[in-house]
Amino acid sequence: MNANDFFQSLWKSYIEITPQADSVQKLFQGAGEEIINDHVAFRTFANSPIALEKLEPILTQLGYKAYGAFRFENKHLVARCYKHSDTNLPKIFLSELLTHELSEAAQQILDGIIAQIPADAVQSPAVFWGGPLWSKPTLAEYQTLSQESEYAAWLSTIGLKANHFTVSINHLKGFDDIASVNQLLLDKGYTLNTVGGLVKGTPEVFLEQSSTMADKIEFTFADGETQTIPSCFYEFAIRHKQADGTLFDSFIEGNADKIFDSTNQN
């Protein structure tokens, strides 16, 4: 599989539970825009058969190289980013949950989930849209996780999938800044993530980002209880030139920390 086929498969899987992404893309295409994605993000469990270190070789086979590492203390996460020599291909942001930093109650639930993942789960790029490789949690387990880590709760139900694609504002012809993109989305009735403000970041840190709040899906838990839960969201990013004239191509921990909240239940 080549990288273009990889992203086509990812997109198909992504819009199945994120219909807003398809409608947003069509909104921009209707305005004569060609959508180039800045990056795509994934979530996984550390110390598991689908840990970051196990998934990274698949990205390498697709032509990606790691170039940055990040730590999110409050959310108990680490992450790496990857880029391809073809600059029209999205960067990849891969984060993992440090389950050992959570409470014993949360660890017990997550240990049970991770124990179900096949040891040889990572066989091909298809693992990136495989969804949960474990049985559904109960509603009580989900609620226990969400009280401590929205990331853990989300991952327990949605599994390994692209949790967001990101429109590159730099490649849009009719939008010069992130504010005009946000205003279009608000005018069309989309709900945006306001944690830390509509815009995360500033030109001074060379990266500005915003995002919708995740779509919602009906999910039936292992005990038969049904509840509306967050699925995935769509992001928008504009990169600014650094002192040497090159566009900033990495990520900002403070921005990403707030973007993670796009899948919060409330």
Side-chain angles (χ1 to χ4, degrees):
M1 175 177 285
N2 63 38
N4 284 308
D5 291 339
F6 174 73
F7 287 109
Q8 287 178 6
S9 295
L10 276 180
W11 178 260
K12 181 180 178 181
S13 171
Y14 167 70
I15 61 174
E16 286 175 355
I17 57 172
T18 322
Q20 63 166 303
D22 190 41
S23 65
V24 168
Q25 185 173 85
K26 288 175 179 175
L27 174 65
F28 282 102
Q29 290 171 337
E33 300 286 0
E34 179 185 3
I35 301 299
I36 300 294
N37 284 294
D38 178 88
H39 67 274
V40 178
F42 302 92
R43 301 175 177 182
T44 193
F45 295 116
N47 301 311
S48 79
I50 54 169
L52 188 154
E53 63 183 18
K54 302 290 182 63
L55 294 169
E56 187 171 280
I58 296 291
L59 301 180
T60 300
Q61 291 168 20
L62 291 170
Y64 278 84
K65 292 183 178 180
Y67 68 107
F70 307 89
R71 178 74 159 101
F72 302 92
E73 297 283 351
N74 292 336
K75 287 186 167 63
H76 310 288
L77 309 172
V78 294
R80 296 205 76 179
C81 57
Y82 305 82
K83 61 183 174 182
H84 200 279
S85 57
D86 181 349
T87 56
N88 279 329
L89 288 173
K91 287 171 276 293
I92 290 175
F93 190 85
L94 176 56
S95 61
E96 63 179 7
L97 179 66
L98 304 176
T99 57
H100 66 276
E101 294 186 357
L102 303 182
S103 69
E104 288 188 13
Q107 285 188 56
Q108 186 173 3
I109 295 168
L110 295 174
D111 286 348
I113 286 174
I114 291 171
Q116 299 176 56
I117 304 173
D120 61 350
V122 181
Q123 293 288 320
S124 75
V127 70
F128 280 95
W129 57 87
L133 298 170
W134 49 84
S135 59
K136 295 178 178 181
T138 65
L139 177 59
E141 289 172 334
Y142 177 79
Q143 291 172 335
T144 296
L145 293 176
S146 65
Q147 289 169 7
E148 191 168 341
S149 168
E150 292 273 10
Y151 184 111
W154 185 93
L155 193 49
S156 75
T157 51
I158 304 299
L160 185 50
K161 280 181 175 286
N163 68 80
H164 68 271
F165 277 68
T166 307
V167 173
S168 171
I169 299 173
N170 295 84
H171 288 86
L172 299 179
K173 298 175 182 178
F175 298 84
D176 297 326
D177 55 32
I178 197 166
S180 59
V181 169
N182 288 343
Q183 193 58 56
L184 172 66
L185 295 166
L186 291 170
D187 290 345
K188 295 297 182 179
Y190 292 97
T191 301
L192 301 186
N193 176 347
T194 59
V195 178
L198 281 178
V199 179
K200 292 71 163 110
T202 64
E204 288 71 30
V205 298
F206 310 115
L207 178 61
E208 295 177 277
Q209 297 164 267
S210 64
S211 63
T212 65
M213 290 301 291
D215 264 321
K216 298 295 179 66
I217 60 171
E218 288 293 311
F219 187 88
T220 301
F221 291 88
D223 50 4
E225 296 287 340
T226 299
Q227 183 169 302
T228 301
I229 64 169
S231 58
C232 308
F233 61 97
Y234 213 0
E235 189 188 323
F236 313 88
I238 184 166
R239 296 179 178 275
H240 298 282
K241 288 184 179 180
Q242 303 171 98
D244 63 2
T246 62
L247 278 181
F248 179 74
D249 72 351
S250 189
F251 295 87
I252 304 294
E253 288 177 0
N255 292 18
D257 185 79
K258 298 176 181 67
I259 292 291
F260 279 124
D261 293 332
S262 301
T263 55
N264 286 3
Q265 294 184 74
N266 298 317

